[in-house]
Amino acid sequence: MRPRPTNRGIGLAIGGACAVVVGVGLGTVDLVQVGALVLLLVIGAYVITAVRDPGRGRHRLRVLRSVEPSPVHAGSVAHVQVDVAADDLSGRVRLAGLRLGEQASAELSGGRPLRARVTRTDRVVTLAYPVQATRRGRWALGPLVVTRTDPFGVVRASSTLGDAAEIAVWPAITELPVPRGVLVDEPDRVALGARSPSTDDSSLREYQVGDDLRRVHWRSSARRGELVVRSDERAGMRPVTVLLDVPVRPEALEWSISLAASIALAMLDAGHPVRLLGPATSTADAAAASTHARPGPGSRADLLDRTIDIEPPTASAADDQTLAAVRQMLGTSSGGEIVMAVVGPLSGPTRTALAHLASTAQAWAMVRTDPAWSVAEHQEAQHTLDQLRRLGWRACPVRPEEDPVQCWLRMLGARS
């Protein structure tokens, strides 16, 4: 923004001009000189303020912004720290005369001005403030807005300093209980025909990011020249696929994504390899979703990252996306896995594709309904629920905004 005169500057400019005019009219040299000096003061302040932009030139200021935690879950608070630093004497002079203000998306600030705690030294000004992440997505933070004035306070200018940052917001997650007799132990033994592994059943595999270092087999690692870990703790744990049918209505979108992500993380924490299938936001996402993530912190982050950019589809594309995900699952499944689906009313071709899964997998489903739907939509949802049950799925109806734990327990108690 170009420099603008303050009220004081406007007053001085008018007074100086009047003094020059009156001095010329009266032939008073002293009055003309006083008026000219005042005008030169205003003009000089304008030039100096325009030239000394803190974000440009050899003496520009540096901006370092950090966010903790990042990414952050929707509904949680992240703490932001912004350091504005000067590297030399000229930069410190510029820094001393600045007023700093931060900008943030409404999804982070709630539409209210940010209030920061400011700490100043001669070299660094630090702003620290919290933001409340209200929605899943990627939201802008910054750049800084700096306001500077000349030493006499006659000219003011505002500009931006530093680059904008982006905060990634994961969906809200609910901790879901995993009954060991329902999903982890007995079904796995029945499907695989395997007994529970003992400590003597260890097999070795390459170390992967997220593996517990206590499982490293150091003697074999030294012999091979690379880290290997004992994989007995995951023996007999069936892979899990979570299928997400993204709703068209925005009011059900966040609830569905949060529920599917909560299921995926619950099964991952229980020791199962997990993948989350839904609309792919990129080619890389589609490729990553074709493999099951192994339990570990890195896998949790990868699963959640795939949910950040999901947008509600158009009505015509919604079922096509779900059908494509089911076909991908059929093409990559080796059989004997657990499938958990969060779906709405499905078309005939999609229900037909799902029929093949129940014959090779242990299949569970939550079918969305909504009191605001039309009679035809309710009938389609009920038809989907009935047909999934006939196909061998364990399915139950759920409503958006219900408690995810109650929906989860209802599904586990459902019968095919």
Side-chain angles (χ1 to χ4, degrees):
M1 181 184 296
R2 292 182 178 180
R4 296 179 180 275
T6 62
N7 291 336
R8 178 187 299 177
I10 294 173
L12 288 175
I14 294 174
C18 291
V20 171
V21 172
V22 172
V24 171
L26 297 177
T28 305
V29 176
D30 291 342
L31 191 56
V32 172
Q33 290 176 339
V34 171
L37 287 174
V38 172
L39 289 175
L40 286 174
L41 172 65
V42 176
I43 294 172
Y46 186 95
V47 172
I48 291 174
T49 305
V51 171
R52 297 181 62 184
D53 188 336
R56 297 180 181 177
R58 186 176 60 183
H59 306 290
R60 62 179 177 271
L61 303 177
R62 294 182 293 106
V63 177
L64 177 63
R65 183 182 284 102
S66 60
V67 182
E68 182 63 34
S70 180
V72 62
H73 286 283
S76 300
V77 174
H79 297 276
V80 183
Q81 179 172 311
V82 184
D83 295 321
V84 184
D87 296 324
D88 51 31
L89 179 60
S90 179
R92 293 199 293 271
V93 172
R94 294 184 183 189
L95 184 62
L98 293 182
R99 295 178 58 188
L100 304 174
E102 180 73 306
Q103 305 177 95
S105 300
E107 290 79 6
L108 299 174
S109 66
R112 298 182 298 272
L114 296 172
R115 295 185 177 275
R117 185 180 74 252
V118 181
T119 305
R120 288 183 177 269
T121 66
D122 60 338
R123 291 180 177 273
V124 180
V125 175
T126 300
L127 287 74
Y129 60 92
V131 292
Q132 176 85 32
T134 58
R135 285 182 54 202
R136 174 191 56 86
R138 301 181 189 275
W139 311 115
L141 188 64
L144 281 173
V145 176
V146 296
T147 303
R148 59 191 187 279
T149 59
D150 68 285
F152 300 101
V154 298
V155 176
R156 179 184 295 112
S158 296
S159 61
T160 58
L161 181 63
D163 298 324
E166 185 180 76
I167 294 183
V169 180
W170 287 332
I173 297 299
T174 302
E175 185 175 349
L176 302 177
V178 182
R180 297 190 61 82
V182 178
L183 290 172
V184 177
D185 287 334
E186 295 305 326
D188 288 356
R189 294 197 193 101
V190 171
L192 296 176
R195 61 182 174 83
S196 296
S198 69
T199 55
D200 297 329
D201 295 328
S202 299
S203 60
L204 300 178
R205 59 171 175 80
E206 292 183 3
Y207 172 83
Q208 297 183 8
V209 176
D211 284 333
D212 190 342
L213 290 177
R214 290 174 296 183
R215 305 301 303 168
V216 174
H217 196 282
W218 296 108
R219 183 177 299 175
S220 298
S221 297
R223 185 172 61 253
R224 297 187 185 187
E226 61 180 0
L227 287 178
V228 292
V229 296
R230 295 187 298 272
S231 60
D232 57 286
E233 286 191 327
R234 302 309 178 201
M237 301 302 284
R238 299 203 297 180
V240 175
T241 294
V242 180
L243 174 65
L244 172 61
D245 169 42
V246 179
V248 175
R249 288 181 170 86
E251 57 270 18
L253 176 66
E254 299 305 323
W255 181 86
S256 299
I257 294 175
S258 177
L259 177 58
S262 297
I263 293 172
L265 295 185
M267 299 307 293
L268 192 72
D269 291 343
H272 293 267
V274 177
R275 63 176 171 175
L276 177 62
L277 287 183
T281 57
S282 67
T283 304
D285 281 348
S290 64
T291 59
H292 292 78
R294 299 188 61 83
S299 297
R300 290 177 62 90
D302 289 341
L303 286 171
L304 290 169
D305 284 344
R306 293 173 200 161
T307 68
I308 295 176
D309 299 314
I310 296 177
E311 297 291 340
T314 61
S316 59
D319 201 73
D320 291 340
Q321 290 182 354
T322 304
L323 180 57
V326 174
R327 287 173 174 168
Q328 179 184 355
M329 185 164 30
L330 290 170
T332 57
S333 176
S334 59
E337 68 177 314
I338 299 173
V339 178
M340 296 184 172
V342 180
V343 300
L346 300 174
S347 67
T350 304
R351 293 196 298 266
T352 301
L354 289 172
H356 300 287
L357 288 175
S359 61
T360 60
Q362 184 181 354
W364 310 72
M366 301 183 195
V367 180
R368 282 189 308 271
T369 62
D370 195 321
W373 283 357
S374 65
V375 174
E377 289 174 314
H378 276 292
Q379 291 176 342
E380 191 67 22
Q382 187 62 45
H383 186 54
T384 298
L385 183 63
D386 293 340
Q387 186 165 354
L388 286 177
R389 287 171 173 171
R390 286 197 300 271
L391 294 172
W393 286 67
R394 299 185 180 187
C396 70
V398 295
R399 295 192 312 274
E401 307 307 327
E402 272 194 283
D403 179 12
V405 175
Q406 296 302 317
C407 296
W408 170 252
L409 294 177
R410 189 187 312 150
M411 183 188 72
L412 296 185
R415 291 293 179 262
S416 58

